[in-house]
Amino acid sequence: MSELKILHNPRCSKSRQTLQLLQDKGYTPEVIEYLKTPIDKMQIANIIELLGFSSARQLMRKGEDAYKEQDLAKEENEAALIQAMVNTPKLIERPIVLANSKAAIGRPPESVLDIL
């Protein structure tokens, strides 16, 4: 099996459920607590591509206060949206599982099983 990673926030119930699901299925993913170990622009751009998203906005948590405070709803520049996620990692949707040169968001947690 290829490398298996989860971008994880232990305070998020969906993230915890997704990690537990992977472990219950016998997987031992590399856990990346992206709020403690932020990911860079290239990694975010790669995840957007692997998810098949047409815009960085699709990877963003639009309900976060930081999204509103930074007035990101009006931002049209993709590089600026990615930079906002670098600067404020809690804007990144979670959890994200990376495996087999694919990515999936664990909402619901079972959706990540398709890429394993």
Side-chain angles (χ1 to χ4, degrees):
M1 178 178 69
S2 73
E3 204 171 313
L4 175 63
K5 298 179 181 182
I6 180 170
L7 297 181
H8 179 62
N9 178 349
R11 296 186 66 193
C12 170
S13 63
K14 292 294 183 202
S15 196
R16 290 191 309 270
Q17 290 169 10
T18 301
L19 178 57
Q20 186 64 55
L21 175 67
L22 292 171
Q23 291 169 337
D24 289 349
K25 296 284 185 185
Y27 295 99
T28 307
E30 176 186 347
V31 177
I32 301 167
E33 289 189 35
Y34 66 95
L35 295 177
K36 291 181 181 177
T37 308
I39 57 177
D40 63 29
K41 289 189 277 191
M42 293 298 291
Q43 291 168 312
I44 292 172
N46 185 54
I47 290 168
I48 292 166
E49 184 178 329
L50 292 175
L51 287 167
F53 288 169
S54 59
S55 170
R57 189 177 317 280
Q58 292 173 273
L59 188 60
M60 299 181 92
R61 297 177 54 82
K62 296 170 215 48
E64 288 288 335
D65 289 341
Y67 186 85
K68 296 172 186 113
E69 290 164 4
Q70 295 177 42
D71 207 17
L72 294 171
K74 294 180 182 175
E75 182 60 64
E76 295 297 325
N77 183 295
E78 289 293 308
L81 293 173
I82 290 172
Q83 188 61 52
M85 287 185 273
V86 169
N87 296 344
T88 313
K90 68 181 177 180
L91 288 170
I92 300 170
E93 187 59 79
R94 61 185 179 252
I96 300 169
V97 172
L98 304 163
N100 301 312
S101 300
K102 297 178 184 173
I105 295 176
R107 292 184 176 271
E110 295 78 19
S111 66
V112 304
L113 298 176
D114 293 340
I115 67 168
L116 301 177

